[in-house]
Amino acid sequence: KYDDPFRNVVSIMLNRMLLDKAPIIFGDGNQKRCFSYIDDCIFCLEKMLDYPDVNQQIINIGPDEEFTTINEVAKICSNITGSNLEPIYRNDRPKEVKEAMCSADKARKILNYKTSTSLVTGIEKTFEYIKNRGAREFDYTKLNLEIKNSLTPRVWLDKEI
């Protein structure tokens, strides 16, 4: 039984590269994102437990000072793993957001949030974790889709990667 499905683009890319498989990028890879390392997120979640007045508030946490493209993430992962495999590009996902960014101003004000882990350091730590645990084949067919409609990407329905 596969009990550790990857849930983010960084760990999926690193795992594939460790298995000597090229990373897969949907669209042209120029989509911009903010990537948070888990420790920075946990810091905020723990702080929220101490502040009952933040109940039912929306608070963005994330490194709003560091935006990067999916292509750049692939390059960083390639450098860290020593992989020279060129990414495989697939069609854009329907309604793909080209720039997904947040403002962590409220988290800084209320929770004293600050980004402690840079993108490269977070990718290095994730690489070390996957390398030490061992890269695993990802069985995409075992993930159940909760919502299936006309906008669901074909690759998700066909279970092809």
Side-chain angles (χ1 to χ4, degrees), residues 15-31:
N15 189 73
R16 286 185 60 86
M17 289 176 181
L18 284 168
L19 293 171
D20 202 31
K21 294 181 178 181
I24 295 171
I25 296 176
F26 292 92
D28 62 10
N30 290 319
Q31 307 91 315

Side-chain angles (χ1 to χ4, degrees), residues 35 42 123-124 150:
F35 290 90
I42 297 296
I123 293 174
E124 288 170 342
S150 63

Side-chain angles (χ1 to χ4, degrees), residues 40-58:
D40 290 344
C41 297
I42 297 296
F43 169 83
C44 286
L45 295 173
E46 287 176 339
K47 294 276 274 195
M48 282 189 249
L49 293 172
D50 296 331
Y51 297 105
D53 56 324
V54 299
N55 186 29
Q56 297 184 358
Q57 288 193 46
I58 297 170

